[in-house]
Amino acid sequence: MPDFSDGAEAADVAHVAKRDVRAALLARRRALSAAQRAAAAARVQAELVALVRRLRPRRMTAYVPVGSEPGGPELPEVLAAALPAGGELLLPVLRADLDLDWAAWTGPDGLVAAGRGMREPAGPRLGRSAVAGAELVVVPALAVDRRGLRLGRGGGSYDRALARVPVTALTVVPLHDGELVEAVPAEPHDRPVRAVVTPAEGLRTLDGASGIAPGVAPHTSAGRIRGA
């Protein structure tokens, strides 16, 4: 028998709202020209590289952007080059249950095609809990709101992964300009992130963020941390 409780109805409304907003955001990204994507990717890469050099994480995670995702397909390569000696970059490996495993970045030649258009490392799997050792976690999204709630592609993979990330880690989402919004449709399982990077505004921590990583001020602009 269908469940017509308030909770179930609210979940259905949020699910439909997410679907509609997701479609609009994807259409907006597809409309960007090659030149606009390249310029945005260069700015996002520069901001994230500056962040990596400032934080010097011993382990961080990222992903390989595909299509119109901000950051460009070279993002893992430039982040790995910015890590301190001995630093480790992990990339996600999509499991059959849509959860995320992790494997080390070994270079572009170590990537293979995977589900949902992803490219992932072919090396040994380190387990779902590998993300718990990361100090910096770079996460994809279509939009993020001022609370830090993100709108993803709908699989729930990163919400599960974010649940394993320690509170001391900085979680940051690369976005195109206009994708940091006032609010996104949310469900109880959605996990917030603590910062975003956009081409125009650079690194920006979010109003609800707490325990910001050392060296990261509440707001930044054009690659410069205020007060630094």
Side-chain angles (χ1 to χ4, degrees):
M1 183 175 182
D3 182 357
F4 293 108
S5 66
D6 290 344
E9 184 177 353
D12 287 342
V13 169
H15 181 76
V16 171
K18 281 185 174 183
R19 181 194 64 198
D20 293 345
V21 174
R22 188 177 292 120
L25 288 166
L26 285 169
R28 185 177 182 273
R29 283 188 175 183
R30 286 193 294 268
L32 294 172
S33 69
Q36 288 173 315
R37 294 180 190 183
R43 289 295 306 139
V44 166
Q45 288 178 15
E47 293 287 347
L48 288 174
V49 164
L51 179 63
V52 171
R53 289 175 175 165
R54 180 177 292 272
L55 296 183
R56 298 179 60 82
R58 291 161 294 183
R59 171 180 282 184
M60 68 170 292
T61 73
Y63 59 97
V64 184
V66 296
S68 58
E69 288 185 321
E74 309 86 2
L75 182 61
E77 192 167 3
V78 300
L79 294 179
L83 283 169
E88 183 181 35
L89 173 63
L90 303 186
L91 301 183
V93 177
L94 187 65
R95 291 163 41 106
D97 62 1
L98 300 186
D99 207 339
L100 295 179
D101 205 326
W102 301 88
W105 160 263
T106 59
D109 292 340
L111 296 175
V112 296
R116 298 196 165 198
M118 294 173 59
R119 298 176 69 208
E120 60 189 29
R125 292 359 184 194
L126 303 177
R128 294 176 298 175
S129 63
V131 70
E135 298 162 78
L136 175 61
V137 178
V138 181
V139 183
L142 296 173
V144 176
D145 71 15
R146 305 287 177 177
R147 302 165 294 176
L149 294 176
R150 52 182 289 281
L151 180 67
R153 299 264 182 168
S157 302
Y158 275 95
D159 287 314
R160 281 180 268 185
L162 286 169
R164 304 179 185 112
V165 174
V167 296
T168 53
L170 179 63
T171 49
V172 56
V173 174
L175 296 173
H176 288 293
D177 291 329
E179 293 177 348
L180 175 60
V181 299
E182 287 302 319
V184 298
E187 297 176 86
H189 66 265
D190 291 332
R191 298 281 177 159
V193 295
R194 296 167 59 193
V196 300
V197 168
T198 62
E201 294 191 354
L203 176 69
R204 185 177 182 88
T205 56
L206 302 172
D207 295 339
S210 61
I212 298 303
V216 179
H219 299 289
T220 70
S221 178
R224 180 177 65 85
I225 295 182
R226 293 180 183 174

